[in-house]
């Protein structure tokens, strides 16, 4: 009986950690087809395991875009306005990787989704992708994403409301 209680405690902890990674999220993933210049978001299933983030497109037409991103290969995670800035800045490495030949940065920001930009290494090369999760599922997904990426901080910047109106240069006589 003395051995049963510690064994049971360990089993509960191991099972709860396994279950935490079992959730599949529905969202939108960026599908890039360089040959046909196609770059749109399509419905996908996002599954986080203990070592990988799997992105699987629902439509059979986009199965070539399915990917598995290793948690240890993720170098940066951005969300909110910081992600928007990463994608729209002309000198941004991530924006250059994803949109230099395609130019769709202005079409990717939707308010009903929380967007995550993942910068990662694939076969030694730096690359990136974008995932959009419904707002109500974002906190849970974010927690799983941080766990997968070795508790990496997700760089997030709230939108700022400014009451200053720029009316142009100040002309003095």
């Amino acid at each position: 009986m003395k051995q049963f209680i510690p064994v049971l405690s360990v089993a509960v902890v191991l099972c709860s950690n396994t279950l935490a990674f079992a959730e599949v999220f529905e969202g939108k993933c960026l599908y890039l087809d360089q040959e046909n210049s196609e770059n749109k978001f399509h419905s996908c299933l996002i599954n986080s395991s203990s070592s990988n983030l799997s992105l699987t497109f629902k439509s059979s037409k986009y199965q070539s875009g399915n990917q598995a991103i290793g948690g240890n290969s993720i170098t940066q995670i951005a969300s909110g306005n910081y992600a928007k800035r990463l994608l729209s800045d002309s000198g941004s490495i991530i924006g250059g990787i994803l949109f230099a030949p395609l130019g769709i940065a202005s079409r990717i920001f939707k308010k009903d989704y929380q967007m995550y930009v993942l910068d990662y290494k694939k076969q030694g090369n730096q690359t990136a992708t974008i995932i959009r999760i419904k707002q109500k599922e974002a906190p849970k997904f974010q927690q799983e994403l941080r766990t997968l990426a070795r508790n990496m901080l997700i760089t997030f910047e709230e939108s700022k409301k400014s009451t200053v109106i720029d009316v142009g240069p100040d002309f003095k006589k």
Side-chain angles (χ1 to χ4, degrees), residues 41-164:
F41 284 93
H42 296 285
S43 295
C44 66
L45 298 174
I46 303 154
N47 186 12
S48 177
S49 70
S50 60
S51 60
N52 286 328
L53 185 69
S54 299
L55 310 176
T56 308
F57 288 93
K58 289 183 175 181
S59 173
S60 59
K61 182 178 177 182
Y62 305 112
Q63 293 302 301
S64 63
N66 293 349
Q67 55 184 318
I69 301 169
N72 58 356
S73 68
I74 297 173
T75 57
Q76 183 177 11
I77 305 168
S79 189
N81 276 351
Y82 185 71
K84 187 174 186 177
R85 193 171 58 220
L86 275 180
L87 296 172
S88 59
D89 283 357
S90 59
S92 164
I93 293 172
I94 295 173
I97 290 170
L98 290 175
F99 304 120
L102 305 171
I104 64 161
S106 62
R107 294 187 293 168
I108 63 172
F109 300 101
K110 301 262 186 188
K111 295 186 188 240
D112 53 342
Y113 287 93
Q114 181 67 40
M115 182 180 59
Y116 296 90
V117 176
L118 301 176
D119 189 19
Y120 62 99
K121 290 191 177 198
K122 182 178 181 181
Q123 299 172 345
N125 297 323
Q126 200 69 25
T127 190
T129 193
I130 303 171
I131 301 168
R132 294 192 320 203
I133 301 288
K134 289 183 179 177
Q135 287 286 357
K136 65 181 179 179
E137 295 179 343
K140 193 170 198 169
F141 173 74
Q142 187 167 311
Q143 183 177 15
E144 289 193 18
L145 187 58
R146 281 199 63 202
T147 302
L148 171 70
R150 306 165 318 278
N151 286 324
M152 180 180 294
L153 289 177
I154 297 175
T155 309
F156 182 83
E157 184 180 307
E158 292 282 349
S159 61
K160 295 176 182 156
K161 293 183 181 178
S162 175
T163 57
V164 177

Side-chain angles (χ1 to χ4, degrees), residues 6-18:
V7 170
L8 181 62
S9 301
V10 169
V12 168
V13 168
L14 290 176
C15 289
S16 66
N17 284 344
T18 306

